[in-house]
Amino acid sequence: MIGKLEDINIEGTSSRPSISLNAKTGVLEMSGYSILENTAQFYEPIIQWFENYDMCPANHTELHVKFIYFNTSTSKCLLGIFEQLEFLYKGGADVTVVWYSSDEDMEELGVDYQNLVSMPFVFKKLDE
């Protein structure tokens, strides 16, 4: 499956996040702003990618979340992504979420997500 899973690379804008998903290396990154008009439509193929990735993950999966700001509808999509990774982690895979924050509010959001799923989170400061 891993040979068939295409990497996703989306360049960010002032309202759309940068997304980089590399199935071979297991290094995944989401960054910038996510304040989209149709959030569910944007994240649908990304969540589908994670569902497919679960079938044949890399030896180590590391999701770097470097959002500066995201809206409520994005937070629901993020939870869906974290739940996919949690499924992978509970299956015995090596999974880490690295949550970057530039302020206290974003750090608290990361802690909230950490409390909702059972997998390791690492917290770092986002250098702007």
Side-chain angles (χ1 to χ4, degrees):
M1 180 70 197
I2 203 162
K4 296 179 185 174
L5 187 57
E6 295 287 325
D7 292 347
I8 291 180
N9 288 294
I10 299 169
E11 197 166 321
T13 66
S14 60
S15 62
R16 181 184 71 205
S18 294
I19 306 286
S20 175
L21 307 176
N22 186 315
K24 189 173 186 179
T25 65
V27 177
L28 320 170
E29 185 173 310
M30 303 185 314
S31 63
Y33 294 89
S34 185
I35 45 177
L36 302 152
E37 293 274 329
N38 194 337
T39 306
Q41 182 180 355
F42 176 80
Y43 281 99
E44 184 180 337
I46 295 163
I47 292 170
Q48 181 68 52
W49 187 93
F50 277 93
E51 290 171 1
N52 292 329
Y53 179 75
D54 282 355
M55 294 180 213
C56 192
N59 290 335
H60 175 70
T61 301
E62 200 166 273
L63 174 61
H64 295 264
V65 181
K66 299 178 178 181
F67 282 123
I68 296 166
Y69 178 81
F70 57 87
N71 59 15
T72 304
S73 55
T74 297
S75 69
K76 294 174 186 173
C77 295
L78 267 179
L79 182 57
I81 290 167
F82 291 147
E83 288 171 343
Q84 284 299 132
L85 288 174
E86 179 185 36
F87 175 78
L88 191 61
Y89 178 75
K90 285 183 172 180
D94 183 11
V95 178
T96 303
V97 174
V98 184
W99 184 275
Y100 296 79
S101 58
S102 58
D103 61 39
E104 202 173 286
D105 291 339
M106 286 302 285
E107 185 175 343
E108 285 177 18
L109 284 170
V111 171
D112 290 345
Y113 282 117
Q114 181 184 33
N115 292 330
L116 291 172
V117 293
S118 301
M119 64 183 166
F121 273 62
V122 174
F123 293 91
K124 295 186 176 186
K125 291 291 179 195
L126 183 63
D127 297 325
E128 293 192 56

